[in-house]
Amino acid sequence: MIALLAAKKAGLLAKEHWLPNIVSGLIVGVVALPLGMAFAIASGVKPEQGIYTAIIAGILVSIFGGSRLQIAGPTGAFIVILSGITAQYGVAGLQIATMMAGVILLLLGLAKLGGVIKFIPAPVIVGFTAGIGVIIWIGQWGAFLGLPKVTGEHFHEKFWHTLQVLPELHLATTGIAALSLLLLLATPKIHHLKKIPGPLLAMVVATSLQALFHFDGVATIGSAFGGIPQGLPEFAVPQFSASQLISLIGPAFTIAMLGAIESLLSAVVADGMAGTRHDSNQELVGQGIANIITPLFGGFAATGAIARTATNIRNGGTSPLAGIFHAITLLLIILFLAPLAASIPLAALAAILFMVAWNMSEVKHFLRMLTHAPRADVAILLITFVLTVFADLVVAVNIGVILATLHFLRRMSMSVEVLAQDERQIGVELIQQGLMKLPEGVLVYAIEGPFFFGAVENFERALAQTHTDPKIVLIRLLRVPFVDMTGLQALDEAISELQRRGVKVLLCEANPLVMGKLQRAGVLSTLGAENYCVDLASAVVRSDVMSEGV
């Protein structure tokens, strides 16, 4: 159900709930202001576009999303992707890719695929988020230290060039950045400052110092971007061509996948903190609508923001009203206080991004997984991390998921057993059915586990270990929860080969799902319908009759 309607049904839109949600929305809006500008600048667009994104996406996700506590807007996880898209395709290309990603998210939600996103393995998620954190941290050295612009297509080239220009750091810029970072670190630890958002305090102090002393050479929003326009964003449809849409399919899919992962992770965090339960499919629908509409008002890609959502819950937010009031707060700020933004030093925003990068990296969690996880998971973690930093996020996630899938399939195939059973092993079952023993020349195999393509080798190996052909092979499917086409084909080929050698084959105990697939795949036709038995007793009786006729 749409979060707003669910909140109304629960009585959370009643007047007595307005005040805590308004207060929470006000606080989150103030927190979102410096973050929105910082994320926009790091993504290669103007600072006001980050605010527009937080306003439009914040309202739409709060209304149409699947979590009543979700706060949406630009996030740090997108920086690496969006900056690359902006550099290659321009701002218009970024907005088109965002709209395409919105369509993908909308389709994922309508197709009820929200639950599938949850199956991306933890080592992959931790690996690429830590990698993004490293890239953001290194990428902000220039703004933090006042360095000349660095060049280089790849991370290692930019990093090496950054090291080369370190001696050219700007002292005033570095001082403002260091003070901002110190305030960010100290604010949560000082009793009287705990309730003041650290990013806001750092930005206000840094801006006040720059406005008062006018330090030479310190880059500000005014000097770099000409300030922030005072007023509402204009509606405009980005111009595009068919060839541009084709070239942006890859970037759009990347935005959609990362947006889906982060928004659903944020919704899960919110559920854990507040005891709520989100609708993952509706959340994707809400995120899709937001990303389709936001670029029409100058914004770019948005998703659920974990830190801002957590701030919303800690400050008393209980319904989508908090997300709506967070957007209204930002709207009022841009309408009445936009001129004050001209003196905001970029170094202060870089310091804020330093903290974002640290929080994203989850260093303690990364090290714990590195030292305590199974070796295969550690390998996947490191490969995803290294590829994110030195290659590409898309490549990293794809390879990470592929490796995790292959590892899972290997483990699954190892868990599937094809067991030869003699009278001692199934004696109790025979007695329960009123039978004394197996007929002479009957060999029983039991397949235990999902009979899929990864388990076919085990089945073929077990059959190959029979050095002399028995009269009858009885295959039990009692503990086979499902079977895929490769398994069906292997079973059909095994039956045909045994029959060619004069060995009779019986199948028994398949569940209704597996039975239906045996029929549709033609396995029962190869077997002969009379050679399928519902239970073990019927199969043994049938094998007794067959053995007498052999």
Side-chain angles (χ1 to χ4, degrees):
M1 183 184 291
I2 295 176
L4 192 63
L5 297 179
K8 182 179 180 181
K9 187 176 181 181
L12 295 173
L13 301 187
K15 289 185 178 180
E16 59 265 25
H17 293 286
W18 280 38
L19 183 59
N21 283 287
I22 291 174
V23 171
S24 180
L26 177 63
I27 294 171
V28 177
V30 169
V31 172
L33 177 66
L35 292 175
M37 291 189 291
F39 294 150
I41 294 170
S43 299
V45 298
K46 296 179 179 179
E48 64 267 22
Q49 290 181 271
I51 303 176
Y52 298 159
T53 301
I55 293 171
I56 306 300
I59 290 176
L60 292 174
V61 170
S62 292
I63 293 174
F64 297 107
S67 170
R68 68 180 65 160
L69 300 168
Q70 184 83 279
I71 302 294
T75 66
F78 275 140
I79 289 174
V80 177
I81 299 170
L82 303 189
S83 60
I85 296 173
T86 306
Q88 185 172 356
Y89 301 101
V91 176
L94 172 62
Q95 292 176 322
I96 294 168
T98 298
M99 296 177 71
M100 293 170 66
V103 173
I104 295 171
L105 286 167
L106 182 60
L107 293 175
L108 287 174
L110 294 176
K112 308 296 183 184
L113 294 176
V116 177
I117 305 297
K118 300 175 184 178
F119 294 113
I120 295 179
V124 177
I125 294 176
V126 174
F128 81 70
T129 52
I132 291 171
V134 171
I135 295 173
I136 293 173
W137 178 56
I138 299 297
Q140 291 303 307
W141 283 14
F144 190 92
L145 301 172
L147 301 175
K149 188 176 181 179
V150 298
T151 58
E153 183 178 352
H154 301 290
F155 173 82
H156 67 278
E157 296 170 339
K158 294 177 182 178
F159 180 56
W160 177 244
H161 193 188
T162 301
L163 293 177
Q164 289 178 314
V165 298
L166 275 179
E168 302 179 41
L169 65 84
H170 188 265
L171 289 177
T173 299
T174 305
I176 288 176
L179 176 61
S180 301
L181 185 59
L182 181 63
L183 289 171
L184 288 166
L185 294 171
T187 299
K189 299 178 182 179
I190 299 175
H191 179 70
H192 297 292
L193 297 179
K194 281 184 178 180
K195 293 187 177 181
I196 301 176
L200 176 67
L201 181 63
M203 186 182 72
V204 169
V205 171
T207 303
S208 300
L209 288 173
Q210 178 60 25
L212 184 62
F213 295 104
H214 299 286
F215 297 109
D216 291 332
V218 174
T220 63
I221 286 180
S223 65
F225 301 97
I228 292 180
Q230 187 173 12
L232 298 174
E234 296 182 359
F235 176 87
V237 179
Q239 299 296 317
F240 61 89
S241 62
S243 60
Q244 193 175 23
L245 292 179
I246 293 172
S247 63
L248 287 171
I249 289 175
F253 188 78
T254 305
I255 293 173
M257 290 301 99
L258 186 56
I261 292 169
E262 189 167 10
S263 64
L264 294 182
L265 281 176
S266 179
V268 169
V269 170
D271 288 347
M273 293 180 67
T276 56
R277 186 175 182 181
H278 75 281
D279 183 331
S280 57
N281 295 314
Q282 185 61 46
E283 181 62 25
L284 293 183
V285 169
Q287 296 289 341
I289 293 171
N291 280 283
I292 292 171
I293 296 177
T294 298
L296 300 176
F297 294 91
F300 54 93
T303 186
I306 296 175
R308 274 160 276 170
T309 299
T311 302
N312 176 35
I313 296 169
R314 292 193 194 103
N315 287 281
T318 59
S319 76
L321 288 176
I324 294 171
F325 279 110
H326 128 271
I328 293 174
T329 299
L330 289 170
L331 182 63
L332 293 175
I333 289 173
I334 204 169
L335 286 176
F336 299 105
L337 302 177
L340 301 178
S343 296
I344 297 175
L346 300 187
L349 299 181
I352 293 171
L353 287 176
F354 269 24
M355 287 299 299
V356 170
W358 172 261
N359 293 330
M360 280 190 65
S361 298
E362 293 186 287
V363 176
K364 290 183 180 179
H365 187 33
F366 185 93
L367 293 176
R368 180 173 178 79
M369 187 173 289
L370 198 62
T371 55
H372 291 80
R375 284 180 294 179
D377 289 331
V378 171
I380 293 169
L381 171 70
L382 291 177
I383 289 171
T384 306
F385 172 77
V386 171
L387 288 176
T388 299
V389 174
F390 292 101
D392 180 78
L393 177 62
V394 182
V395 173
V397 173
N398 287 341
I399 291 180
V401 170
I402 290 171
L403 289 176
T405 303
L406 291 175
H407 175 59
F408 171 75
L409 292 175
R410 176 177 173 272
R411 295 293 299 273
M412 282 287 289
S413 66
M414 292 171 63
S415 69
V416 179
E417 295 183 292
V418 182
L419 304 174
Q421 296 182 327
D422 56 26
E423 288 183 349
R424 291 175 299 173
Q425 293 166 311
I426 61 174
V428 174
E429 291 181 81
L430 291 174
I431 292 172
Q432 288 175 346
Q433 301 293 338
L435 302 170
M436 298 304 296
K437 62 177 183 177
L438 283 172
E440 185 178 350
V442 176
L443 188 61
V444 179
Y445 283 104
I447 302 175
E448 298 189 355
F451 192 32
F452 70 115
F453 62 89
V456 167
E457 184 181 354
N458 292 356
F459 176 68
E460 294 173 342
R461 188 187 304 118
L463 292 182
Q465 289 174 354
T466 304
H467 301 294
T468 58
D469 285 343
K471 295 178 182 179
I472 300 170
V473 170
L474 195 163
I475 301 175
R476 304 182 66 186
L477 304 175
L478 178 63
R479 292 186 174 86
V480 177
F482 69 86
V483 60
D484 72 354
M485 191 59 213
T486 307
L488 290 167
Q489 183 175 329
L491 187 58
D492 190 74
E493 291 174 355
I495 292 171
S496 298
E497 174 62 19
L498 288 168
Q499 289 174 340
R500 186 186 65 80
R501 286 155 40 188
V503 179
K504 303 293 184 180
V505 182
L506 291 173
L507 294 181
C508 68
E509 303 175 298
N511 66 42
L513 175 64
V514 173
M515 183 62 182
K517 292 186 176 182
L518 291 173
Q519 289 176 326
R520 287 193 296 273
V523 175
L524 293 186
S525 297
T526 303
L527 178 72
E530 70 280 3
N531 293 331
Y532 175 78
C533 303
V534 176
D535 52 36
L536 180 62
S538 301
V540 172
V541 171
R542 173 66 181 161
S543 66
D544 193 17
V545 174
M546 292 173 67
S547 63
E548 292 177 359
V550 175

